[in-house]
Amino acid sequence: MRRFGPLLGLAILVTVLSLASPQFLTWDNVLNIFRQSAVNGLLALGQLMVILTAGIDLSVGSILGLSTVVFAKTLKAGAAAPVAMLAALACGVALGLLNGVLLTALRLPHPFVSTLGMMNVARGAAMLLSGGFPIPDLSPGARVLGAGAVAGIPAPVLVMLAMFVLFGFILRQTVFGRDVYSIGGNPEASRLAGIPVKSRLNAVYAIAGGLAGLAAILLAGRMNAGFPLAGAGAELDSIAAVIIGGASFFGGVGAVSGALIGALIIAVLRNGLNLLNVSSHWQMVVIGVVIIGAVWVDVLRRRGGQR
């Protein structure tokens, strides 16, 4: 059920929504779902890396917002599109790495503390840097990844899938990936086994920040602007996608494919509810219930494993 449950849930959800709305399974709407899932998919991939170590990152949404502003401001300063993209990525990696350093060097009791603080720092920095207003009218070259397409497939979807393939390989086929799972399973045993726990944690949080920076490039390109409030609440969607996808809040359990399916479930759910003209307030209620249900199932699985 941990492996195939999310896929079964996605199939049931798609079946129900296709019966409820004739517009749901149209080609344009399917592409729209994948396009909308790209940003949350990248955030969920970074969140998966963190949750595998039994951590959590509440700052990815704010890092996304700040990175869109850095991206747009760099372009407005006259820089070429590749330079602006590197600036956004560097912003994400630096803030993510700082999350890791705060956790490992200052020995804060839980990543909840450091990432909660970073969530406010990054959001405040985005407001200060932008003056609280969007920065519109990006150059065409800067919008390629966010608004372009290859053979009719949106570029953001291709970027997201490429990242999932890459990190699927990293987690399953490299020493780094095995170390990440080991740390989530038992950090003290991992340390005694010679795994550099602190440097691995720093790297994991830097990766989460870097993927948030990449998501910012896609979002800014699609929206043709940098938004200081971009990504508000996105950290919750990313956590939901990872847990719905079968990962455990207790660390050491989860897969890249599950995070992708979880992100698609969130996107399908939001899209279907929009087509059915369900209020956005009720959508928040539904997503919240889904998160609680997913965590409850994870707790039941853990208890069953202990027994």
Side-chain angles (χ1 to χ4, degrees):
M1 284 302 296
R2 185 184 292 275
R3 178 174 297 181
F4 298 109
L7 185 59
L8 177 61
L10 178 60
I12 293 173
L13 187 60
V14 167
T15 301
V16 171
L17 290 175
S18 62
L19 293 174
S21 173
Q23 291 84 24
F24 179 77
L25 274 184
T26 60
W27 178 245
D28 287 342
N29 191 57
V30 170
L31 284 181
N32 188 42
I33 290 172
F34 276 96
R35 186 184 295 110
Q36 290 174 345
S37 68
V39 169
N40 188 38
L42 291 175
L43 295 181
L45 183 57
Q47 194 73 248
L48 171 67
M49 301 288 289
V50 173
I51 287 178
L52 285 176
T53 65
I56 194 169
D57 191 345
L58 299 177
S59 67
V60 290
S62 296
I63 292 175
L64 167 67
L66 177 56
S67 296
T68 66
V69 172
V70 169
F71 182 54
K73 290 285 285 187
T74 306
L75 289 170
K76 293 298 181 181
V83 174
M85 292 178 184
L86 287 175
L89 289 173
C91 174
V93 171
L95 293 180
L97 180 59
L98 184 56
N99 274 332
V101 170
L102 289 173
L103 175 65
T104 57
L106 299 185
R107 298 185 179 181
L108 296 179
H110 195 274
F112 179 91
V113 178
S114 58
T115 60
L116 179 63
M118 184 58 69
M119 178 177 73
N120 288 279
V121 169
R123 187 67 67 192
M127 298 296 288
L128 288 170
L129 193 59
S130 65
F133 296 98
I135 306 171
D137 302 325
L138 307 183
S139 64
R143 302 188 61 202
V144 170
L145 292 182
V150 178
I153 302 176
V157 176
L158 297 176
V159 172
M160 177 187 70
L161 293 178
M163 290 296 103
F164 271 89
V165 171
L166 173 62
F167 281 94
F169 174 82
I170 289 173
L171 283 176
R172 291 299 181 184
Q173 303 296 330
T174 68
V175 173
F176 175 82
R178 290 192 289 273
D179 288 351
V180 168
Y181 279 100
S182 176
I183 291 169
N186 192 321
E188 183 60 22
S190 299
R191 185 185 66 80
L192 293 175
I195 294 174
V197 174
K198 290 185 178 181
S199 63
R200 292 290 191 255
L201 288 175
N202 290 340
V204 162
Y205 283 92
I207 288 170
L211 288 169
L214 179 57
I217 296 171
L218 302 186
L219 181 62
R222 193 179 81 194
M223 304 301 293
N224 194 26
F227 290 92
L229 292 178
E235 58 280 344
L236 299 182
D237 277 1
S238 68
I239 294 170
V242 173
I243 300 304
I244 291 171
S248 172
F249 254 134
F250 303 99
V253 175
V256 164
S257 57
L260 176 59
I261 293 172
L264 288 175
I265 288 175
I266 297 293
V268 165
L269 195 55
R270 289 193 184 279
N271 179 270
L273 293 176
N274 282 331
L275 290 177
L276 296 175
N277 295 317
V278 176
S279 165
S280 61
H281 305 306
W282 277 109
Q283 292 184 32
M284 295 173 66
V285 172
V286 171
I287 297 295
V289 170
V290 170
I291 294 173
I292 293 172
V295 174
W296 179 62
V297 170
D298 181 37
V299 170
L300 291 180
R301 281 192 300 237
R302 185 176 175 85
R303 289 176 180 171
Q306 290 174 341
R307 287 198 296 268

